[in-house]
Amino acid sequence: MNLRKLKKLVDVPRPQGVCLDVVVPSYRANNNDFLERIALLRSSCEDVYVKFWFIVDNPANQHIIEVKALANKLNSIQLKRDGNYFINVVHYGENRGASYARNTGYNYSVADWILFLDDDVIPDFNILDAYIGAIKRYPEAKVLAGMTILPESENIWTDMLRACNVGYFYGISNQMRHPPWAVTANLLVRSSRFNPTIQFKNCFPKTGGGEDIDFVYQYKQFYPTMGINVTAAVPEAIVKHPWWNGGRPCYSQITGWAWGDSQCILEWPSKTFLTFPNWIEYSLFVVMPLVIYSQKPIAGLVVGGTVIVFEHLVKAARYLPASKRECKGKGFWRKLFVAFGAGSVLSAQEWRAGTWERYPSEVPTIPLDRGEGPPSGTTQRSTQRCKSYQSLDFGLRTALDPTTGDHNHFRPEMGYSDFLPEMCRHCTPSLRKKANSFKDNIYFI
């Protein structure tokens, strides 16, 4: 019996409107205030169906307990009205990184659209409406880039970050109508049910860097005939992002981005181009071989030092106008110091990118293993669009309950491992076998 006939038999009406899930990887402890702001997002449209997925990527038991308690509290209130805006919490007892966490929510969701948000952003109250309007405005788009606003400068370090414009792509939606890529701190994409081979890869740093570039490029590759229309900017979809490391110097964060971005060189060789070597490349591939060949280390140090000083003087001259703008009303020496500091931020990226280490590029497999049902006495119901149970190389997804038409429908006495095989009675034998082979490392509430 196919799904269409099954729907007719159980008389399930097909919901109309937009089906959208919000996926939030959560590693930071003691940030329930941020998660609660996200979980309380609502749309003013009646035909919008939303679920939240909090993917706990921190093995600390206290953090897991706190996030579950928050979800239980908000769900108990929401379920008195309906099953919309339900919060799912997934954890797997270890830190596997941002890419794995996002893949988990991306693959479990059966919505039409996935909104990725960071767990430290403050979203505007109308962000869902802004994205829903963009979905209708750009019907061909598969990636919608929101506006991520960084705070005003508060010290010399943040002056440097603003002067070198390291956060340019956070505000790309204000600059380009069809951006080449956008950051996953605030990004809406077509869900994996439409493009199952697109995944975040584990060759990128756990803390992030480069995976957002690769992810958007995969969409462009998956929809090659659409050209620039694959992406679209939504400057009205606003989130506020805090300064990294509380506004204190964080060269490790900057170099982590550069390391991740450098992975894209081999992932996307068609996007690469030749340019004049920077200071680290010149030092490693020109000065060092000459020193070894000539056996004159002092002369090599002098030449290398001259190259480094000259390049940083050029960078300081380049960023001086921006430092004057950021340090308006401050003294000349502070402006000059900020200009040199802005150049050092770029140099840190060049140094890390010039010494990157290659890791195997492979898509992490997301096992949908044995889990726990919701708290006793609750039944999770949703009016999200019905769909057949699917099996992909990236793991099993949530299912359609053939008796109610609900997605992700649990009975209190039923564990997740019991729920999936029952839903798979109408699926293929191989899928039923896979559903029965669950183990104990992913848990739900």
Side-chain angles (χ1 to χ4, degrees):
M1 181 183 297
N2 61 34
L3 183 63
R4 190 169 299 173
K5 291 181 179 179
L6 182 63
K7 287 180 182 179
K8 289 181 180 179
L9 286 176
V10 297
D11 193 26
V12 178
R14 179 184 177 90
Q16 301 297 318
V18 178
C19 187
L20 185 153
D21 280 6
V22 182
V23 173
V24 184
S26 177
Y27 177 79
R28 296 172 180 85
N30 304 317
N31 74 328
N32 270 14
D33 290 344
F34 288 92
L35 295 179
E36 185 169 0
R37 287 191 190 97
I38 294 172
L40 292 176
L41 290 174
R42 298 292 184 266
S43 171
S44 62
C45 305
E46 293 184 359
D47 57 346
V48 175
Y49 310 103
V50 179
K51 294 184 82 174
F52 299 93
W53 295 87
F54 291 162
I55 315 300
V56 181
D57 194 49
N58 187 333
N61 191 53
Q62 185 59 34
H63 181 50
I64 296 170
I65 292 172
E66 290 173 357
V67 176
K68 283 187 174 183
L70 172 66
N72 282 330
K73 181 185 77 171
L74 297 179
N75 282 339
S76 63
I77 297 172
Q78 184 62 33
L79 283 173
K80 293 177 182 177
R81 304 168 190 163
D82 55 46
N84 206 4
Y85 300 103
F86 195 89
I87 305 168
N88 299 275
V89 178
V90 183
H91 68 92
Y92 29 75
E94 59 181 302
N95 173 226
R96 298 184 181 179
S99 292
Y100 192 99
R102 291 192 183 102
N103 274 341
T104 302
Y106 182 67
N107 289 319
Y108 282 142
S109 170
V110 291
D112 296 329
W113 294 89
I114 306 292
L115 173 57
F116 291 110
L117 295 176
D118 280 357
D119 66 344
D120 60 346
V121 300
I122 301 176
D124 194 66
F125 71 95
N126 68 347
I127 188 172
L128 295 181
D129 286 344
Y131 274 123
I132 291 164
I135 290 170
K136 298 176 181 178
R137 195 161 61 249
Y138 301 106
E140 292 185 347
K142 310 302 178 187
V143 177
L144 296 172
M147 178 69 182
T148 304
I149 299 176
L150 296 173
E152 293 296 322
S153 180
E154 55 191 38
N155 53 37
I156 292 179
W157 171 251
T158 52
D159 283 343
M160 294 175 183
L161 294 180
R162 280 195 167 276
C164 70
N165 207 14
V166 71
Y168 172 77
F169 271 91
Y170 281 77
I172 190 64
S173 62
N174 255 355
Q175 309 297 326
M176 305 175 70
R177 186 176 179 183
H178 298 284
W181 61 276
V183 296
T184 45
N186 179 18
L187 187 69
L188 184 75
V189 300
R190 207 71 162 125
S191 75
S192 62
R193 57 183 287 198
F194 298 97
N195 25 251
T197 60
I198 299 176
Q199 300 284 302
F200 290 97
K201 300 173 186 174
N202 70 347
C203 61
F204 297 98
K206 279 187 174 183
T207 54
E211 82 288 351
D212 36 19
I213 303 174
D214 176 83
F215 191 64
V216 176
Y217 279 175
Q218 288 184 64
Y219 274 90
K220 292 184 175 184
Q221 186 181 60
F222 196 89
Y223 301 98
T225 61
M226 296 184 60
I228 64 171
N229 292 325
V230 172
T231 63
V234 191
E236 304 84 7
I238 299 171
V239 303
K240 295 179 180 178
H241 194 292
W243 287 117
W244 308 278
N245 197 30
R248 299 181 296 275
C250 54
Y251 282 101
S252 60
Q253 180 84 28
I254 304 299
T255 57
W257 293 341
W259 175 64
D261 292 347
S262 65
Q263 308 300 311
C264 294
I265 295 173
L266 292 185
E267 293 296 317
W268 301 96
S270 62
K271 307 290 184 183
T272 59
F273 58 92
L274 296 176
T275 186
F276 195 78
N278 58 39
W279 66 276
I280 183 65
E281 293 166 341
Y282 189 85
S283 300
L284 287 176
F285 303 119
V286 178
V287 175
M288 190 175 294
L290 287 176
V291 168
I292 295 173
Y293 178 76
S294 64
Q295 297 184 348
K296 295 181 179 179
I298 303 299
L301 288 174
V302 171
V303 172
T306 302
V307 169
I308 294 171
V309 170
F310 176 75
E311 177 154 341
H312 282 78
L313 286 172
V314 171
K315 288 176 181 173
R318 173 186 174 187
Y319 293 126
L320 189 57
S323 70
K324 289 180 179 179
R325 183 176 63 251
E326 296 299 328
C327 303
K328 193 174 182 179
K330 306 292 177 62
F332 170 77
W333 292 109
R334 168 152 179 166
K335 296 174 183 176
L336 187 62
F337 182 78
V338 168
F340 271 101
S344 74
V345 172
L346 183 60
S347 294
Q349 289 184 305
E350 292 171 344
W351 171 80
R352 193 65 179 94
T355 58
W356 60 273
E357 186 176 359
R358 177 65 181 167
Y359 282 82
S361 171
E362 52 187 66
V363 177
T365 300
I366 309 296
L368 281 174
D369 293 335
R370 184 186 181 96
E372 303 166 345
S376 177
T378 65
T379 302
Q380 177 182 345
R381 302 179 64 85
S382 170
T383 53
Q384 288 196 331
R385 183 168 301 169
C386 303
K387 66 185 292 293
S388 61
Y389 199 91
Q390 299 187 38
S391 174
L392 302 172
D393 292 338
F394 314 113
L396 295 166
R397 304 206 201 165
T398 48
L400 164 73
D401 185 339
T403 60
T404 65
D406 286 346
H407 135 224
N408 230 19
H409 175 80
F410 288 96
R411 293 199 299 270
E413 69 276 9
M414 183 185 292
Y416 204 75
S417 59
D418 302 317
F419 159 72
L420 282 173
E422 179 175 313
M423 297 304 100
C424 289
R425 286 179 302 172
H426 303 277
C427 304
T428 64
S430 62
L431 184 55
R432 287 198 297 271
K433 182 178 179 181
K434 195 170 185 179
N436 280 301
S437 65
F438 292 168
K439 297 178 183 176
D440 297 314
N441 70 338
I442 287 189
Y443 304 89
F444 289 76
I445 70 163

